[in-house]
Amino acid sequence: MHSFTKSDFQAGAAATGQDDISGNELRILRDLLQLLPAGVTVQDEQGQFILVNEAAASQLQLAASASQPAPADDRHAANLDMLRSGRPVVLEEVLSCGASKYVFLTSHRPVQIAGRNLLISTSTDISEQKAFEDQLFRSAYYDELTGLPTRRVIEHRVNGLIRDTAQSHFALAFLDVDNFKHINDYYGHAIGDALLVELSKRLGHALRATDILSRISGDEFLLLLNPISSNDEVAEFIHVMQERLKAPFFIEDSEIFASTSIGVSLYPMHGRSYEALRQNADIAMYRVKNNGKGSTAFFDNSMEREALARMKIEQSLRLAILEKRFCCAFQAKVDIRTHEVKGIEALVRLRDDEGVIQAPGTFINLAVELGLIDELTFLVLAEIVKSIDLINDTFGPTATISINVAAKQAGNLEFMRRFARAIEETGFPKRFMIEVTEDAFVTRSHFQDQILPILRGIGVGISIDDFGIGYSSLSALADITADEIKIDRSFITDIHQRPRSQGILRAIESLSEALGMTVIAEGIESYEELTYLQAATKIRYAQGYYFAKPIFLEDLKPATPVASESRASMAARPSQDSRQSYSRANGFRR
């Protein structure tokens, strides 16, 4: 191994008719060659190196120390073959040295200079480029969090199986982690991510080389079981997998229980394309969700009819929002001792295609799921602003106006900022009370620390809705900053006959009083419930059908003077049966 001599260069130059290359120029060429970042070598017909620059020397030394170096004889023979063939060759060489991996792009070119057959080789380190390409490949085809294949991989594999005419049967299972949002909210996203990693390990346990488990979105997975001999084989495997998930997950000192709802479709029985199989497995999974979660269902045709009905509801809901076919009913919060209206709650209603009013239970959860709830909430606010004169005329200019905000919205800082700005722009933000369920406070969301100060800054009140049926505890209540607490009607129904509910009610009442929160009893429907609250508690305010059903402002008679309205004392009311719906003719006192 040596560098070119001056005579070597001169001989080569003579062949090209350049005889006047000075020794100084030759030294410059030699020094430049040594400084090149690419490795350059020249070998003669015997395979001996007659030139090796510094970069090439480092690469050859690296090759000699690689974990599995190529035998010198093999390398020598390969170079001689290339020299004799006279054809250029370009190839990638991979060298592993411990934990490090190097990739070189090497070009071999046989040439003739000054009558000598030589092999000129250049080698460039492309390790960083290859690492970046590998990263791009993994990001496209493998999930960054769990390392599982992505949707593209399993879709490609299924399509390949379908194209294979010799393929007989396989199963595609759609898996969804139950209540993952609550786990994320309560424990935090870091633990939620760690749970997905551990859960994917359990789901992937005992898979065959021909099976694929893929993470296709946040908490959704697809499982390809191939091949299968019978439905029972699939059912048995998934049952064992479900049993494996019943053991708790221990993550950062937290003991977490998780389950999955699984829908299964079979090829070719339930579809002859990837999309059909995936969609039918998804439909079967939703059947499980609707029936209590944590189990498995195989697709059948009745599920498809249900899915079509659900799709029709979705389309109707989207169209109703587009056409603004929502309206508001208002239910009063009444002082049970003075009979005055303290405030009203705006309850959204949907007019269907035939003009029939639909209660929120038929569409609110779907609106949340489809991401339409934000727009719906802004529609409610717009309806209130448009009707504020009639609201003031009916219920009084000081009555608070409550708007319900879903738990998902309450933890969304961007939405709540926009909603707070819209409330402030009404010109009467201090009239508003935001009603949120208790999990907005007790889970690890942004509400208490970031969103609540925004609402407080514009004078909006805070009400805890449906207290007692979520994640509440009295200790959690002590940490909540709210103005009003609404006790769920499940505690109020037949309260006069239920000593245990009476005890719970007294405890909530006492703590709320100590914390300066107003207590609202929801769902008063009988005279006996009302008289118990009046006689045995200090609760002042209530809502319920005993006083009035929710009313639509367009049903009122604006020509009737409010000052002339009167009402007999409710305390003297003998029974529930004689009550009438709320109207301007028999309104509450303000």
Side-chain angles (χ1 to χ4, degrees), residues 2-6 9 21-36 51-54:
H2 64 277
S3 298
F4 270 134
T5 65
K6 179 177 179 180
F9 276 108
I21 297 179
S22 67
N24 186 51
E25 289 172 329
L26 289 175
R27 284 193 297 273
I28 292 173
L29 288 174
R30 181 190 61 198
D31 292 342
L32 286 174
L33 193 64
Q34 291 297 331
L35 292 173
L36 286 176
L51 184 146
V52 178
N53 73 349
E54 292 181 4

Side-chain angles (χ1 to χ4, degrees), residues 166-177:
Q167 178 63 39
S168 54
H169 301 283
F170 63 84
L172 194 65
F174 196 112
L175 299 82
D176 184 272
V177 182

Side-chain angles (χ1 to χ4, degrees), residues 296-491:
T296 303
F298 283 75
F299 176 78
D300 64 51
N301 291 330
S302 67
M303 296 178 183
E304 188 172 17
R305 291 191 292 272
E306 291 177 7
L308 290 174
R310 171 188 167 88
M311 186 180 300
K312 184 177 180 181
I313 295 173
E314 289 183 13
Q315 292 172 343
S316 298
L317 181 57
R318 294 181 188 277
L319 185 61
I321 289 179
L322 185 64
E323 296 178 348
K324 294 181 171 54
R325 284 194 279 106
F326 289 90
C327 55
C328 287
F330 295 90
Q331 188 171 35
K333 298 176 182 179
V334 180
D335 186 324
I336 62 176
R337 303 178 195 282
T338 67
H339 318 149
E340 295 180 348
V341 175
K342 174 186 184 293
I344 55 173
E345 179 180 358
L347 304 170
V348 65
R349 297 290 189 265
L350 166 66
R351 295 186 191 276
D352 65 18
D353 297 338
E354 299 176 355
V356 178
I357 300 296
Q358 301 289 333
T362 62
F363 61 85
I364 284 294
N365 289 339
L366 185 58
V368 173
E369 182 181 330
L370 297 176
L372 301 174
I373 190 66
D374 292 356
E375 190 171 355
L376 190 54
T377 305
F378 278 109
L379 287 177
V380 171
L381 180 61
E383 181 76 11
I384 291 171
V385 173
K386 183 179 70 174
S387 307
I388 190 61
D389 290 338
L390 192 52
I391 289 173
N392 291 340
D393 187 37
T394 305
F395 301 104
T398 61
T400 61
I401 305 169
S402 294
I403 300 179
N404 288 279
V405 170
K408 183 177 181 179
Q409 295 173 293
N412 185 332
L413 183 58
E414 180 183 354
F415 165 77
M416 292 303 295
R417 279 176 174 162
R418 289 191 293 117
F419 192 49
R421 283 197 300 271
I423 290 177
E424 187 174 22
E425 289 169 0
T426 65
F428 47 93
K430 294 182 180 180
R431 291 279 300 277
F432 286 96
M433 183 81 70
I434 300 298
E435 293 195 8
V436 294
T437 52
E438 58 201 90
D439 51 341
F441 291 91
V442 300
T443 57
R444 299 177 184 179
S445 71
H446 305 289
F447 188 82
Q448 183 85 356
D449 298 329
Q450 299 182 40
I451 296 171
L452 193 58
I454 297 173
L455 299 175
R456 293 295 188 197
I458 62 173
V460 173
I462 306 297
S463 176
I464 308 171
D465 196 15
D466 300 331
F467 186 82
I469 61 170
Y471 298 94
S472 60
S473 66
L474 296 185
S475 61
L477 182 60
D479 295 327
I480 293 175
T481 306
D483 304 287
E484 180 181 278
I485 180 170
K486 299 178 72 175
I487 301 175
D488 187 75
R489 71 177 307 273
S490 60
F491 292 99

Side-chain angles (χ1 to χ4, degrees), residues 103-169:
V103 183
F104 297 96
L105 182 65
T106 302
S107 172
H108 299 284
R109 183 179 180 84
V111 296
Q112 246 190 11
I113 298 179
R116 302 177 65 181
N117 292 322
L118 303 174
L119 183 66
I120 299 177
S121 304
T122 60
S123 188
T124 305
D125 187 346
I126 58 170
S127 303
E128 289 188 8
Q129 177 185 337
K130 295 299 292 185
F132 181 67
E133 290 176 358
D134 289 344
Q135 182 181 353
L136 288 179
F137 178 84
R138 288 201 63 82
S139 64
Y141 295 103
Y142 290 90
D143 176 54
E144 183 179 0
L145 177 65
T146 63
L148 294 175
T150 61
R151 182 196 303 262
R152 291 182 180 181
V153 176
I154 201 166
E155 180 177 358
H156 178 76
R157 178 60 177 151
V158 169
N159 285 332
L161 292 174
I162 293 173
R163 286 193 300 268
D164 184 359
T165 56
Q167 178 63 39
S168 54
H169 301 283

Side-chain angles (χ1 to χ4, degrees), residues 144-309:
E144 183 179 0
L145 177 65
T146 63
L148 294 175
T150 61
R151 182 196 303 262
R152 291 182 180 181
V153 176
I154 201 166
E155 180 177 358
H156 178 76
R157 178 60 177 151
V158 169
N159 285 332
L161 292 174
I162 293 173
R163 286 193 300 268
D164 184 359
T165 56
Q167 178 63 39
S168 54
H169 301 283
F170 63 84
L172 194 65
F174 196 112
L175 299 82
D176 184 272
V177 182
D178 298 321
N179 303 317
F180 185 69
K181 179 188 180 302
H182 292 302
I183 293 172
N184 248 347
D185 288 344
Y186 187 78
Y187 294 101
H189 287 276
I191 290 183
D193 285 348
L195 174 64
L196 288 176
V197 172
E198 294 303 315
L199 190 139
S200 66
K201 292 177 182 177
R202 290 196 195 177
L203 291 175
H205 184 70
L207 291 182
R208 301 165 295 182
T210 53
D211 299 331
I212 298 177
L213 176 66
S214 168
R215 182 184 179 215
I216 62 172
S217 68
D219 62 341
E220 294 178 336
F221 299 82
L222 271 181
L223 173 63
L224 169 66
L225 297 175
N226 169 62
I228 59 171
S229 58
S230 66
N231 297 4
D232 291 340
E233 178 190 8
V234 178
E236 175 62 22
F237 179 85
I238 291 180
H239 173 72
V240 172
M241 187 171 63
Q242 293 275 39
E243 289 297 309
R244 197 180 300 126
L245 293 179
K246 289 185 177 180
F249 294 85
F250 295 95
I251 301 173
E252 295 185 16
D253 300 324
S254 296
E255 184 179 14
I256 305 174
F257 289 87
S259 64
T260 58
S261 297
I262 302 177
V264 182
S265 61
L266 304 172
Y267 175 83
M269 186 187 309
H270 300 143
R272 293 182 175 271
S273 70
Y274 165 79
E275 190 56 38
L277 291 167
R278 186 207 60 78
Q279 182 175 341
N280 289 339
D282 191 8
I283 290 172
M285 184 274 295
Y286 268 102
R287 166 71 69 85
V288 176
K289 288 284 189 184
N290 293 334
N291 291 343
K293 305 178 182 179
S295 60
T296 303
F298 283 75
F299 176 78
D300 64 51
N301 291 330
S302 67
M303 296 178 183
E304 188 172 17
R305 291 191 292 272
E306 291 177 7
L308 290 174

